[in-house]
């Protein structure tokens, strides 16, 4: 496929932030504090890990995902779990398997860190993403849906053991 996943570089942050915002706003109406959160990739780089999928022949950014640093969590994860947030694929790169590739990368990170489960939340309108996660074996976790500040949402988990 010619895609490399690597940590984001400082010179890519602004572009990736707008790419992520465009991807999310393509799927549903986004505004207010959540829009600010989606666009604030610079803060995510300071407090977590941001990984990008890059076309290896052109260098174009195709998508991104945010993970916690080892031993840390973002919002949803419990001990033994890795949470990922804000997985986004450039609208022009959709249908190329980039979302699946980034999700497989996240699963690999969880395994490498010796964790038992991967968890995430997704907006209720993001039905294409839900189909992807479900096709990869993720199942709904209704008890973790709609946390304050992240509603309405669906929570998904994938057991690794």
């Amino acid at each position: 496929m010619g895609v490399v996943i690597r940590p984001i570089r400082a010179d890519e942050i602004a572009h990736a932030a707008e790419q992520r915002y465009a991807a999310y706003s393509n799927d549903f109406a986004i505004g207010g504090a959540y829009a600010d959160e989606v666009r604030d990739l610079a803060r995510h780089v300071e407090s977590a890990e941001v990984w990008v999928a890059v076309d290896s022949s052109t260098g174009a950014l195709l998508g991104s995902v945010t993970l916690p640093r080892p031993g840390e969590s973002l919002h949803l994860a419990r001990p033994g779990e890795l949470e990922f947030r804000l997985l986004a694929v450039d609208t022009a790169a959709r249908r190329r398997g980039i979302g699946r590739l980034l999700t497989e990368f996240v699963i690999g990170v969880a395994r490498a860190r010796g964790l038992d489960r991967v968890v995430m939340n997704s907006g209720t309108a993001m039905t294409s993403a839900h189909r992807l996660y479900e096709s990869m074996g993720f199942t709904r976790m209704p008890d973790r849906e709609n946390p304050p500040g992240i509603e309405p949402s669906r929570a998904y988990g994938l057991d690794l053991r």
Side-chain angles (χ1 to χ4, degrees):
M1 185 187 306
V3 176
V4 174
I5 298 176
R6 60 164 172 75
I8 194 166
R9 296 187 320 236
D11 64 324
E12 297 168 327
I13 292 172
H15 175 70
E18 289 308 311
Q19 183 181 67
R20 185 165 68 180
Y21 176 79
Y24 274 65
S25 62
N26 185 65
D27 291 331
F28 61 94
I30 183 172
Y34 188 64
D36 294 340
E37 169 76 7
V38 169
R39 278 192 159 132
D40 197 2
L41 202 137
R43 184 179 60 76
H44 295 168
V45 168
E46 290 176 6
S47 63
E49 297 176 353
V50 177
W51 296 83
V52 291
V54 179
D55 185 304
S56 58
S57 60
T58 66
L61 293 182
L62 303 173
S64 61
V65 65
T66 299
L67 298 176
R69 293 185 177 117
E72 297 180 4
S73 66
L74 299 172
H75 302 288
L76 187 68
R78 295 178 180 162
E81 298 177 338
L82 176 69
E83 176 183 1
F84 67 99
R85 290 203 63 221
L86 298 165
L87 189 149
V89 175
D90 184 273
T91 55
R94 290 189 174 181
R95 300 264 189 244
R96 291 180 49 189
I98 306 303
R100 180 174 295 274
L101 190 64
L102 283 165
T103 306
E104 289 170 349
F105 172 78
V106 170
I107 294 166
V109 169
R111 285 191 169 117
R113 293 182 185 178
L115 301 172
D116 299 321
R117 179 188 278 178
V118 175
V119 297
M120 52 79 61
N121 61 42
S122 178
T124 56
M126 300 180 82
T127 56
S128 295
H130 304 161
R131 283 191 300 274
L132 168 67
Y133 301 132
E134 290 166 2
S135 77
M136 296 179 74
F138 284 79
T139 57
R140 293 265 310 267
M141 299 184 318
D143 62 312
R144 297 205 216 173
E145 293 181 351
N146 303 312
I150 310 175
E151 70 270 335
S153 71
R154 285 190 171 182
Y156 286 91
L158 176 69
D159 290 326
L160 303 177
R161 299 191 192 266

